Amino acid sequence: MKILAIDTTTKKASVALKIDNNIFLKEENNEITHSEKLLPILDAVLNEAGVSLNDIDLYAITLGPGSFTGVRIGIATIKAIAKVTNKKIFGATSLELLALDAISKASFAPHYVLSLMDAKNNRVYYNLYKYNNGKLVDSGLSGNDYINAVLDKVNNENISNLLITIDNNTLNLENVQPASINLK
């Protein structure tokens, strides 16, 4: 199966193509030019893999949160490509993907995962997930707030075995309560 994924939610625009166990990846680190850089990056990935858009079985897109303009550029691009090639699109949030990546790298089995992304102006996008039997479940605690307020909210949940991931940087906190965490 060939899956093409696009992420334009952060400063880094990424295009990845998975063909069986092979992954082709190109990135551009400048959110101001996502509209200019995305199609050349996409073309470079396809050329490297030796495939065309018609060869792709499924398209994947990151749905945010993140840069509003970046999210729109990514979704509009993938929808146009899927429409022309008559293929399906799968979407996931940036916070879900961060949580799943952190779990795959964790040295323990977390009961909860807190995903955090820089929202600028000293704020973070966040989502607290329950992790049980290999499934990630939204706990209902999510939003955009100051980091200390988020940690207070998580602390009020009285949870244990917490894994925190921050824009792809992970803190393994198997036996630490959120109130004792200093992220400054």
Side-chain angles (χ1 to χ4, degrees):
M1 177 172 262
K2 297 175 187 77
I3 302 171
L4 181 77
I6 292 177
D7 181 4
T8 54
T9 60
T10 65
K11 290 180 181 179
K12 189 183 294 182
S14 304
V15 176
L17 175 60
K18 184 175 189 296
I19 302 174
D20 301 320
N21 290 326
N22 298 316
I23 296 178
F24 302 88
L25 172 69
K26 297 283 184 203
E27 300 173 322
E28 182 71 35
N29 197 10
N30 185 349
E31 73 181 313
I32 295 171
T33 61
H34 283 357
S35 61
E36 297 170 13
K37 302 289 184 178
L38 183 57
L39 292 178
I41 295 169
L42 173 61
D43 191 48
V45 168
L46 293 171
N47 286 333
E48 183 181 339
V51 298
S52 73
L53 289 173
N54 288 321
D55 297 324
I56 305 301
D57 300 306
L58 178 68
Y59 295 103
I61 187 70
T62 332
L63 302 171
S67 160
F68 181 69
T69 300
V71 171
R72 290 184 330 181
I73 290 166
I75 290 173
T77 301
I78 211 76
K79 284 182 77 172
I81 292 169
K83 180 78 171 167
V84 169
T85 60
N86 198 30
K87 303 290 172 75
K88 294 193 182 273
I89 302 171
F90 169 80
T93 72
S94 306
L95 296 170
E96 287 174 293
L97 297 173
L98 281 172
L100 291 169
D101 184 53
I103 290 166
S104 74
K105 296 174 182 172
S107 61
F108 69 99
H111 295 153
Y112 291 86
V113 181
L114 177 62
S115 290
L116 303 170
M117 283 181 58
D118 184 7
K120 299 183 181 171
N121 299 318
N122 297 316
R123 299 177 70 90
V124 292
Y125 300 111
Y126 67 94
N127 202 326
L128 179 66
Y129 298 96
K130 294 178 186 176
Y131 185 66
N132 191 8
N133 295 327
K135 296 193 188 239
L136 199 60
V137 179
D138 192 331
S139 73
L141 185 62
S142 64
N144 175 333
D145 209 340
Y146 295 101
I147 185 67
N148 290 336
V150 172
L151 294 176
D152 287 344
K153 291 173 187 178
V154 172
N155 190 52
N156 289 335
E157 296 293 312
N158 195 26
I159 61 176
S160 62
N161 290 344
L162 174 65
L163 177 65
I164 298 178
T165 182
I166 308 165
D167 287 332
N168 288 320
N169 295 309
T170 301
L171 298 174
N172 290 341
L173 302 169
E174 187 169 3
N175 296 309
V176 179
Q177 291 299 317
S180 66
I181 302 168
N182 182 357
L183 296 176
K184 293 180 182 179

